[in-house]
Amino acid sequence: MASSFFSDFGLMWYLEELKKGEFKKFKELLRQEPLQLGLTQIPWADVKKATREDLANLLMKHYDEQGAWNVTFNIFHKINRKDLCEKAKKEITGYTKTYQAHVKEKFSKIWFRESVARTYNYFEKELTQKERSYLEFLFVPKKIGRRTVVLRGIQGIGKTTTLVKLMLAWAEGTLYREQFSYVFYFCCRELKQLTTTSLAALISRGWSDSLTPMAEITSQPDRLLFIIDGFEELNYALNEPESDLCSDWMEQRPVQVVLSSLLRKKMLPESSLLIAAVPVYPRAIEQRLEHPEIKTLAGFSESEKKMYFCCIFQDTRKALEAFGFMRENEQLLCMCQIPILCWVVSTCLKQEMEKGRDLALICRRITSLYTSFILNLFTPRGASGPDEQSQGQLKGLCSLAVEGMWTDTFVFSEEDLRRNGLVASDIPILLDVQALQKCRETENSFTFIHVSIQEFCAAMFYFIKSHTNHPNPAVGCTEELIFTYLKKVKVHWIYLGCFMFGLLNEKEQKKLEAFRGSHLCREEIRQKFQQHIQSIGESEHLWGQIDFLALFYCLFEMQNEAFVCWAVDFFQDVNFSVTNKSDLLVSAYCLKLCSGLRKLWFSVQNDFKEENADTSMIKNVSFSGGSWLFFEVLTHSPDLKHLDLSGTRLSRNDVVLLCDALNNPTCNIEKLLLANCGLSADDCEGFTWVLHSSTKLKLLNVSYNYLDKGLPLLCEALCHPVCALEVLVLGCCYISEHFWGNLYEVLLCNKSLIHLDLSANVLKYEDIKLLCEALKQPGCHLKSLCVTNCFITADGCRDLASVLTENPNLRSLQVGYNDIEDAGVKLLCEALTHPDCRLEDLGLGACKLTSACCKDLASALTSSKTLRSLNLTGNSLDHGGVLVLCEALRHPECRLQVLWCAKIQSTERQRRYVTLREDLDGPLFSESWRLEKAVFDEETQRLLMAEKERNPYLTITDN
């Protein structure tokens, strides 16, 4: 009577429904009930100590499935839980079996239409242990609450294949038996063809002619799992107003509203969701989901890649030899995580090895491998190139591919194929050579086996035809293609630009000569590329629109050093991030040839060590190998003056390599930003030698690093007569008491240092006193001091005030985010009125000031001849206090030009992280408080606006 769905796990689920007393009564009745049914007893000792799971296992072990359920049903009746009997019997005899049979039939057909699954029988329809463990972990039994899981994975990594296997395993009753009565799979590629629908219609689609099963299905919404596959296909933002969503699963609404209602838990909120998507979908969508759990599907591990190569080659020695060549190319190694691309790479290398060709040359660039793979598909065995029929098919395929890339089409109908010159008799051939495959969802539609194959064929189109000859006017010219690619406008264009540049390589051109009478236009395309890169390079406005890493990959594929040198010399400021070793290799290749580079912003956003690491979060950010390639760039770029590695974790070895490069006579770095790079006290030794020997380095930012005991070494170097450093940023460096005595010597000895940032460190009263003693010495040349968020009180202001009157060099003082209060400001204002004070910029943001200090501030404003900028943001000033300030601003002796002024509603101190700001002196820690003038009452706002209009030379801002 029971279906396979209700094995021991199904039985356990019903036992879980029993209350504690009911479960105890169930055990007691189990002593006699089997005897009445002619069954043997289960030993009482086993029953007595059994948990619900244990008891389900005992029942299934001692009786067959039918007997276990008969005993259970009888006892349920006797403990007045007839509801559980009815629920179980309904599921056993109801629609579940019908739906499971439909799932088996539908997804078995999909499986056998999938070319990857057929390839050398490597993939089995059943879940592997690794896959089963992964999927079980997504929805752990007994975990409280509904679940929304987002399964990320790059295109082709195997998301859909895994989900197809999930559906088959569930239908067989071997997966999620305990958790879900029904699992529904929605393919977004199909859904986007619909206009209006209801959730009930989507659920019953294909297996039930009526909506009758819906009452049963939705009676237990917590036992429903909805799978949304290929979410990025829909291009939905899930941003409909809450009022537009619906909760009725029977109501006909636009398909977008139905899906949004389901995903945002307006409809069937107790159900679970599994959303599969590529990583490029907008991250804002995750904020509209309810507590999404982000998971990443990793693809083939290195051992699985090796095993797959051996399966393709059928000769272990040759397979490992080819694998070794492939492994030398980081891009290919990464691509082989994707099963179908692993097949492409291994198949191509096997064919090239059989022809006696050099695999090292094939593996050097991805364009070379793709060219060989595509031409091999269309070259008859024993021939030197494609015959006339094959050439026609390949030209049609390229025409189809380029149309798809420009129109964002990746599923093609027979009509699409005909329009691009492919007739019905060509289709079986293209399927047989595995250039195309049948679409999973419908019989008469087709896709390329992977989008990268479509991209390559699209690039190839421009070398065998002119875009003006294409039947679809949407197909753009080469210039438009390159700019679109470099701007990363189309997220599906991953390799297209690289293939365009790669096909300009002479070796690839020789391969393409197999097309007898083809429209080869290499020089024409190269000239157009040159013109377009030049137009980008000559416009700084366009620099900010292009992805420099994408440009580097294009130039790397071309492998023409003269062209690369010419191209990269247009760009003086370069900003990019790398996420793997391949990015590092490619960028290093191009940057070494860039002689005009002046500024470089560079960051690493992943850990290279873990090949299949979850990229949904940044962790252990570091070079983790190959960093010498990057630092070598510094010695090949004489015009490079600005280097920002902030946020990139540097190992001890990385710091050594960096310092070696900085000490190289050919390195001309002037500004070096290393904030939050994981530096330690030991790393200070390397920077000491740089400061000893380099007269070029002017700015060093090592904030947010645990330097502590290494700082005295830096101070020693700063006292060296050769040291030319002008700006030193030591924010949040965990400065200890040993440092201040060394700093005293620096301020007396160093003649070049003009700005010092000590923010976000603890300054005790004796520390600030010693610092101020140094600042008051005649030999101190410091012009700017930042001590924001340093736990300074009014007592510390007394010493700072004495500096203002005795040091005529100090022009800027930032003391924001310290509890100096009105008493501290009074001391500073008295100093500002002193005729020897030369201060121009004073920062008092978030210092717990009230309107009581405004008279002192007003006195300073009318007395100081030099004060130009005053920051009062984040202080609780009322209308009366602002009125006093405005009166001072109108005074003819007031020289103020910028007033930072905003009010906070709470008088309690609120600290904020200091932010990096670049101004004329370089990156400083400045106070930033993002509040609107609207926080003031209307009368005070009018007062400020009137003052701003009255004085055209005064800027009043709250940002």
Side-chain angles (χ1 to χ4, degrees), residues 300-302 305 333-334 337 607-613:
F300 278 173
S301 64
E302 179 148 342
K305 293 171 192 173
L333 184 64
C334 184
Q337 293 181 63
D607 186 335
F608 300 167
K609 286 181 178 178
E610 294 186 52
E611 181 185 11
N612 294 325

Side-chain angles (χ1 to χ4, degrees), residues 189-410:
R189 194 172 278 173
E190 288 182 337
L191 293 183
K192 72 178 182 180
Q193 307 301 324
L194 305 176
T195 52
T196 59
T197 187
S198 67
L199 183 62
L202 291 178
I203 287 174
S204 58
R205 198 168 174 226
W207 70 280
S208 176
D209 295 331
S210 71
L211 300 180
T212 307
M214 285 302 298
E216 176 193 311
I217 291 169
T218 57
S219 65
Q220 291 179 279
D222 58 317
R223 289 179 59 77
L224 300 179
L225 171 63
F226 292 96
I227 297 175
I228 316 296
D229 188 18
F231 180 76
E232 71 282 352
E233 294 273 353
L234 299 173
N235 199 24
Y236 287 176
L238 299 183
N239 58 356
E240 296 85 359
E242 188 75 19
S243 58
D244 288 356
L245 303 181
C246 64
S247 57
D248 185 357
W249 37 267
M250 297 291 288
E251 186 179 347
Q252 288 277 333
R253 298 290 293 274
V255 66
Q256 182 170 345
V257 172
V258 172
L259 270 183
S260 289
S261 301
L262 178 65
L263 297 180
R264 289 166 61 182
K265 299 292 187 179
K266 180 75 172 179
M267 190 185 296
L268 299 178
E270 302 87 353
S271 63
S272 294
L273 301 170
L274 177 55
I275 305 166
V278 295
V280 294
Y281 70 95
R283 289 291 183 269
I285 288 172
E286 292 174 6
Q287 298 172 5
R288 300 185 182 105
L289 300 174
E290 186 180 272
H291 308 301
E293 300 172 46
I294 312 301
K295 305 294 181 182
T296 299
L297 196 62
F300 278 173
S301 64
E302 179 148 342
S303 60
E304 288 171 325
K305 293 171 192 173
K306 282 184 182 177
M307 194 181 303
Y308 193 85
F309 264 63
C310 291
C311 184
I312 297 294
F313 276 79
Q314 300 291 303
D315 182 318
T316 303
R317 184 188 62 78
K318 291 181 179 178
L320 294 180
E321 181 185 350
F323 185 85
F325 282 111
M326 179 277 293
R327 207 184 186 292
E328 290 297 312
N329 186 319
E330 287 290 331
Q331 249 187 305
L332 289 180
L333 184 64
C334 184
M335 287 167 62
C336 282
Q337 293 181 63
I338 301 171
I340 186 60
L341 294 187
C342 196
W343 175 78
V344 168
V345 173
S346 55
T347 298
C348 179
L349 294 182
K350 182 186 180 190
Q351 292 169 341
E352 294 299 290
M353 184 180 280
E354 289 170 350
K355 294 176 182 178
R357 292 177 180 164
D358 186 352
L359 297 192
L361 292 176
I362 301 296
C363 292
R364 188 167 295 169
R365 298 172 303 111
I366 61 168
T367 307
S368 180
L369 187 134
Y370 272 71
T371 307
S372 297
F373 175 76
I374 291 295
L375 293 181
N376 285 340
L377 290 185
F378 291 90
T379 300
R381 183 173 289 276
S384 59
D387 56 26
E388 189 173 342
Q389 182 186 11
S390 297
Q391 286 187 34
Q393 292 165 349
L394 184 49
K395 288 177 180 178
L397 195 68
C398 292
S399 179
L400 180 72
V402 77
E403 178 180 304
M405 297 312 296
W406 281 104
T407 60
D408 293 332
T409 303
F410 304 96

Side-chain angles (χ1 to χ4, degrees), residues 734-794:
Y734 301 89
I735 295 174
S736 61
E737 61 272 13
H738 307 292
F739 169 72
W740 303 106
N742 300 102
L743 181 60
Y744 186 96
E745 295 299 323
V746 171
L747 294 176
L748 294 185
C749 299
N750 190 298
K751 306 304 181 188
S752 62
L753 191 67
I754 57 174
H755 173 77
L756 178 63
D757 188 332
L758 301 169
S759 55
N761 288 289
V762 179
L763 267 73
K764 298 177 182 177
Y765 178 67
E766 53 268 27
D767 300 332
I768 193 79
K769 194 173 185 65
L770 186 59
L771 173 64
C772 291
E773 282 299 320
L775 292 170
K776 289 188 290 184
Q777 298 304 313
C780 179
H781 291 74
L782 202 71
K783 292 183 178 180
S784 175
L785 175 66
C786 181
V787 284
T788 60
N789 198 11
C790 286
F791 301 91
I792 298 171
T793 63

Side-chain angles (χ1 to χ4, degrees), residues 87-233:
K87 191 182 292 185
K89 288 178 180 178
K90 187 186 292 184
E91 288 187 322
I92 292 169
T93 59
Y95 297 103
T96 303
K97 289 181 71 176
T98 304
Y99 178 63
Q100 286 174 326
H102 161 73
V103 168
K104 289 179 190 176
E105 181 182 5
K106 175 183 176 180
F107 285 91
S108 291
K109 287 181 179 178
I110 290 175
W111 178 264
F112 289 111
R113 281 207 305 269
E114 172 55 61
S115 65
V116 173
R118 297 199 311 267
T119 305
Y120 289 87
N121 295 319
Y122 184 82
F123 295 91
E124 298 293 336
K125 190 169 66 167
E126 291 74 27
L127 289 171
T128 64
Q129 186 55 49
K130 176 184 173 182
E131 291 168 332
R132 181 177 300 281
S133 299
Y134 185 84
L135 292 173
E136 286 175 346
F137 180 74
L138 295 182
F139 297 97
V140 180
K142 303 181 187 177
K143 186 162 182 176
I144 298 173
R146 55 211 185 189
R147 308 280 298 282
T148 297
V149 177
V150 177
L151 184 63
R152 286 188 196 155
I154 55 179
Q155 202 270 343
I157 201 73
K159 298 185 299 296
T160 297
T161 300
T162 301
L163 295 177
V164 167
K165 295 172 81 169
L166 181 159
M167 293 300 296
L168 289 169
W170 173 81
E172 293 288 347
T174 62
L175 183 70
Y176 298 149
R177 292 175 297 186
E178 181 183 354
Q179 297 99 308
F180 304 119
S181 300
Y182 288 90
V183 179
F184 296 105
Y185 173 92
F186 297 152
C187 172
C188 293
R189 194 172 278 173
E190 288 182 337
L191 293 183
K192 72 178 182 180
Q193 307 301 324
L194 305 176
T195 52
T196 59
T197 187
S198 67
L199 183 62
L202 291 178
I203 287 174
S204 58
R205 198 168 174 226
W207 70 280
S208 176
D209 295 331
S210 71
L211 300 180
T212 307
M214 285 302 298
E216 176 193 311
I217 291 169
T218 57
S219 65
Q220 291 179 279
D222 58 317
R223 289 179 59 77
L224 300 179
L225 171 63
F226 292 96
I227 297 175
I228 316 296
D229 188 18
F231 180 76
E232 71 282 352
E233 294 273 353

